[in-house]
Amino acid sequence: QKEVEQDPGPLSVPEGAIVSLNCTYSNSAFQYFMWYRQYSRKGPELLMYTYSSGNKEDGRFTAQVDKSSKYISLFIRDSQPSDSATYLCAMSLQGGSEKLVFGKGTKLTVNP
Amino acid sequence: NAGVTQTPKFRVLKTGQSMTLLCAQDMNHEYMYWYRQDPGMGLRLIHYSVGEGTTAKGEVPDGYNVSRLKKQNFLLGLESAAPSQTSVYFCASRLAGLVATYNEQFFGPGTRLTVL
């Protein structure tokens, strides 16, 4: 079993839709959870960062962590064509942990 | 601030040739990483460094070597390139320490390598 599982998609939605992206993980010791966004032919960049369980909101984006289910989600409200990208979840064991464990990424296309 | 830069952006090699990829960062970060990204495989860690003069193996280190002679630079070498090393290579860097937010890795724009 992979440490982090992420459905690669692709996911195609109309503009204005609510998008839900998800990852599951097997290591209950993960404490820090991140979502990176990667535009085509670019490097990943950090989008959201959460610690432990709960929700975190930033504009149209909400990150959710359910540690009891080992499940994390990223919600995008009022999706825009500019949100079209690959979204990678990442997690680490502790704040200073040297390495991140990445999901494989979900490719999202938002159609105008 | 240029952030993380990678040289070259593109390269085509023949099987058996060697090359070095250069990563440079101007953020005074202690930690640096080399990843490869392949369709369906996601980002896989090749090697990383937690400080000048140190290196460590990641998930897929075979066929690669690295050096960190200066804090701002991290070099990835392919001694004898193979078609299986065709990939997009990303360098990343981050601060050291136990503060949670220091986990953020900053990525370069990538190097597209094709080995024929």
Side-chain angles (χ1 to χ4, degrees), chain B residues 33-34 46-49 54-57 64-69 74-77:
Chain B
Y33 305 82
W34 276 108
I46 304 171
H47 286 281
Y48 65 102
S49 168
T54 74
T55 63
K57 293 181 180 179
Y64 305 95
N65 56 74
V66 287
S67 64
R68 182 102 180 264
L69 299 180
F74 196 27
L75 278 64
L76 178 71

Side-chain angles (χ1 to χ4, degrees), chain A residues 2 8 32 34 36 38 40-46 49 51 86 88 92-100 102-105, chain B residues 10 31 33 35 37 40-43 45 48 50 57 59 90 94 97-109 112:
Chain A
K2 292 283 187 182
Y32 298 88
M34 284 145 274
Y36 279 79
Q38 184 177 20
S40 181
R41 295 182 172 267
K42 302 288 186 184
E45 55 183 359
L46 185 66
Y49 187 110
Y51 168 69
T86 296
L88 300 98
S92 72
L93 296 174
Q94 62 187 35
S97 178
E98 296 159 354
K99 292 181 277 186
L100 292 176
F102 284 90
K104 292 183 178 180
Chain B
F10 305 92
Y31 292 4
Y33 305 82
Y35 294 90
Q37 188 175 41
M41 302 296 290
L43 280 168
L45 182 64
Y48 65 102
V50 299
K57 293 181 180 179
E59 182 185 354
F90 288 101
R94 55 156 276 199
L98 297 177
V99 177
T101 52
Y102 285 7
N103 263 325
E104 179 180 1
Q105 293 186 14
F106 293 81
F107 284 82
R112 293 183 174 272

Side-chain angles (χ1 to χ4, degrees), chain A residues 42-112:
Chain A
K42 302 288 186 184
E45 55 183 359
L46 185 66
L47 182 64
M48 298 280 287
Y49 187 110
T50 54
Y51 168 69
S52 194
S53 286
N55 291 2
K56 184 176 182 179
E57 192 171 316
D58 184 3
R60 296 184 294 110
F61 299 88
T62 299
Q64 202 170 76
V65 175
D66 182 349
K67 292 191 76 178
S68 61
S69 301
K70 299 192 187 71
Y71 190 88
I72 69 171
S73 300
L74 177 71
F75 297 96
I76 308 174
R77 292 184 300 279
D78 187 25
S79 57
Q80 302 295 309
S82 59
D83 295 328
S84 298
T86 296
Y87 291 80
L88 300 98
C89 62
M91 43 200 83
S92 72
L93 296 174
Q94 62 187 35
S97 178
E98 296 159 354
K99 292 181 277 186
L100 292 176
V101 181
F102 284 90
K104 292 183 178 180
T106 300
K107 185 173 183 180
L108 170 67
T109 300
V110 181
N111 301 299

Side-chain angles (χ1 to χ4, degrees), chain B:
Chain B
N1 271 0
V4 180
T5 57
Q6 293 183 232
T7 309
K9 290 185 169 50
F10 305 92
R11 186 73 186 268
V12 178
L13 289 178
K14 294 181 179 178
T15 297
Q17 287 185 318
S18 64
M19 78 162 295
T20 300
L21 282 69
L22 170 64
C23 176
Q25 52 92 7
D26 61 1
M27 297 175 283
N28 203 32
H29 286 172
E30 289 83 5
Y31 292 4
M32 296 187 75
Y33 305 82
W34 276 108
Y35 294 90
R36 59 178 291 175
Q37 188 175 41
D38 304 288
M41 302 296 290
L43 280 168
R44 291 184 291 171
L45 182 64
I46 304 171
H47 286 281
Y48 65 102
S49 168
V50 299
E52 184 178 319
T54 74
T55 63
K57 293 181 180 179
E59 182 185 354
V60 288
D62 294 342
Y64 305 95
N65 56 74
V66 287
S67 64
R68 182 102 180 264
L69 299 180
K70 293 183 178 180
K71 185 177 183 179
Q72 64 268 33
N73 295 338
F74 196 27
L75 278 64
L76 178 71
L78 286 73
E79 290 187 347
S80 179
S84 61
Q85 295 177 305
T86 293
S87 187
V88 181
Y89 291 85
F90 288 101
C91 177
S93 70
R94 55 156 276 199
L95 291 166
L98 297 177
V99 177
T101 52
Y102 285 7
N103 263 325
E104 179 180 1
Q105 293 186 14
F106 293 81
F107 284 82
T111 294
R112 293 183 174 272
L113 175 66
T114 301
V115 183
L116 302 175

